Amino acid sequence: MTDIEKPTNFIQQVISADLDAGRVDSVVTRFPPEPNGYLHIGHAKSICLNFGLAQQFGGVCNLRFDDTNPEKEDDEYVQAIIEDVRWLGFDWAGEPKFASDYFAQLYSWAQHLIREGKAYICELNAEQMREYRGTLTEVGKNSPYRERLVEESLELLEQMKIGAVDEGTMTLRAKIDMQSPNINMRDPVMYRIKKMAHHRTGDTWNIYPSYDFAHGQEDAIEGVTHSVCTLEFAANRPLYEWFTNNLPLPSTPHQYEFGRLNLNYTVTSKRKLKQLVDENHVDGWDDPRMPTISGLRRRGVTSAAVREFCDSLAVAKTDGIVDLAQFEHFIRDDLNETARRAMCVLNPLKITLSNYEEGKEELLSAAGHPNRDDLPARQLPFGREIYIDHSDFSEDTSLSRKKFKRLVIGDYVRLRGASVIRADQVIRDSHDQIIEIVGSYVPDTVGENPPEGIRPRGVIHWVSATNSVDCDLYLYENLFTEAAPDAGEGSFIDHLNPQSLKIVKNCKAELGLGDAVVGQQYQFEREGYYCLDGKHSSAEKLVFNRTINLR
Ligand code: ATP
Ligand code: MG
């Protein structure tokens, strides 16, 4: 199972070697989100990596919620994460798993370490604990509670668990080495008191395990062979190994770290994204400007584009910042292949074709996609009154044909999928604004060349003025004006882009878009990629989100 087409990253190499040497029989990975927010594009990299490794090596990947901190966790996040991972196209082994399912087991392993003389109840408060811990340049000193009797620690841990001890007054700590150059090894906290209900275990527990005491053991319970996490956990690896070496675990997992994905012009931190939501800078976690998976989905980005992008990224041992343009490349690439073509006029200008029979309407057929026969053709009603975009018309007859390939008074243009037309006369309102064009069509030019002497300047999009649907378009720009919004002084909030959402009202879309459904992407020809917004659309008014402009 080690035939890999792409260049192998270092984790693939480790796995290949482990399989070849018989150190593992089959590969088990996991994706371990904390349910304290929605997943973002950074998580997508981790998801694609972990699930991808399992697929590649014929193993399995677990979805495990790291719900060890009830303060910030919620079932809403659990459900959103499940939906997002599924949408990305991945499936986990069995049911989703939860750290909280292992609380009883973790507790008994804590008792084990106490009995072995490798853990103790400490009564230093947070501030004292900081003092005793030392710094990067100064070693720590032993807690006065370090040599507490085993029986006493066991009894106190039980008291902590049942809620008989005040928060902040006691912790369970591993007895490792206060002189260690690695601060993580200076008697780290295993359990802290939190008299708080948990979204799954309710009031059962008044103590909760630390990440470090939980993570490796959870991996071992699940038989995870390769526990892949981001670089900030590299310094925790010795501690991960200390626990896995000092406990009677059912298996011995190993941790490997890779660089986080950071994208410019955005933030990828759940805490910061939550702040954007809580302070109403955006329309929820799934605001189409958010780098969350749900935001990308609502914006119309396809899951294939997210996967392709993530797979294109190096799995490196350093953090990097990826240019947003790189992501956009994959978004356009996929939409170009998959999005159905349609026409929508953003700034409608009416043209009355004076030589077209009044009251008559024909249905013209247009391709659903220029090179995909599998997508259904569209029916475009065509009649005497149509809309084109204001920007596609000019009265300036001196504009060169090369520069302005659109409609100019007295000249010809082709309506996409329909006839060649000419602009004959401009009608203005009392403020001298152009409100309508009177024009004419050239008969028998649908799908046919016009007669000799008629040279259309170009091809423009249009819709029927009497048989189209009304819609509003939400155009999005970057959420931040700075490439690195969270670097430097001040808050990242200071760099929010006030122009990040522009709403274009009263657009006219081709009739078929009245049947648009959420989750279907469209290319509005000459304008960009769009999708229906499920939240803002109503029976009266459709709302489309611009996923991305055309290049
Ligand atoms: P955040 O800082 O946004 O809260 P986190 O690391 O705290 O992220 P978790 O829910 O703990 O979020 O992450 C689940 C998994 O996703 C972890 O293995 C983590 O390493 C990985 N992950 C999180 N952010 C990124 C990122 N930007 N790039 C790659 N992997 C990431
Ligand atoms: Mg985290």
Side-chain angles (χ1 to χ4, degrees), residues 31-34 40 42-43 46 230 232 258 260-261 268-270:
F31 173 64
E34 183 180 1
H40 52 64
H43 293 114
S46 176
T230 36
E232 71 270 24
F258 72 101
R260 293 175 83 85
L261 163 62
T268 42
S269 146
K270 277 183 287 187

Side-chain angles (χ1 to χ4, degrees), residues 30-47 49-50 64 66 81 211 215 227-233 258-263 267-273 313 319-320:
R30 87 285 172 264
F31 173 64
E34 183 180 1
N36 61 352
Y38 282 57
L39 299 181
H40 52 64
I41 184 72
H43 293 114
K45 180 177 178 186
S46 176
I47 292 168
L49 178 61
N50 280 298
R64 183 212 307 149
D66 221 336
I81 290 169
Y211 170 87
H215 206 86
S227 181
V228 180
C229 62
T230 36
L231 279 178
E232 71 270 24
F233 293 104
F258 72 101
R260 293 175 83 85
L261 163 62
N262 300 297
L263 268 185
V267 292
T268 42
S269 146
K270 277 183 287 187
R271 185 178 58 76
K272 288 175 187 157
L273 295 174
L313 299 168
D319 283 330

